[in-house]
Amino acid sequence: MTSLDIDTRSDIYSLGVLLYELLTGRTPFNQKQLLAVGLDEMRRTIREREPPRPSATLSTMVEGELTTTAKLRQTEPLKLIHLVRGTWIGSS
């Protein structure tokens, strides 16, 4: 890895990861799995695999984890999923 490998694309990716984590409380890829496979495989995964959409991540969370995530965002679990998906029609 050289300074040529770090540029605006790295900044954009980092901002995307930050937004993903702000929405879901998780990073786009499982940290333990990435660390277990080594640096080269980690890079390949990040480059080639599409992470699940934030709304899909929220939808597959166990109830307690989703409730905690929603509470930290000062909303209800179902409303959080719909807001992230962009389908909420109810009043605010």
Side-chain angles (χ1 to χ4, degrees):
M1 207 165 149
T2 68
S3 62
L4 295 175
D5 294 326
I6 301 172
D7 59 11
T8 305
R9 292 170 292 185
S10 303
D11 294 338
I12 299 299
Y13 182 82
S14 297
L15 286 171
V17 170
L18 181 61
L19 176 59
Y20 194 100
E21 195 166 2
L22 286 170
L23 292 170
T24 66
R26 296 181 178 177
T27 55
F29 297 106
N30 183 295
Q31 295 173 20
K32 288 181 182 179
Q33 289 176 350
L34 284 179
L35 291 173
V37 296
L39 188 59
D40 288 334
E41 184 64 21
M42 182 187 305
R43 286 182 187 152
R44 190 190 68 71
T45 298
I46 290 171
R47 267 194 323 265
E48 297 176 8
R49 276 189 48 211
E50 188 75 26
R53 292 176 180 241
S55 58
T57 296
L58 290 169
S59 296
T60 59
M61 285 181 171
V62 294
E63 188 175 332
E65 187 179 9
L66 178 59
T67 301
T68 301
T69 301
K71 193 177 282 188
L72 290 169
R73 283 140 189 86
Q74 300 177 358
T75 189
E76 300 165 20
L78 188 58
K79 186 174 181 180
L80 177 62
I81 292 171
H82 286 289
L83 286 169
V84 171
R85 190 176 291 145
T87 59
W88 187 257
I89 300 173
S91 60
S92 38

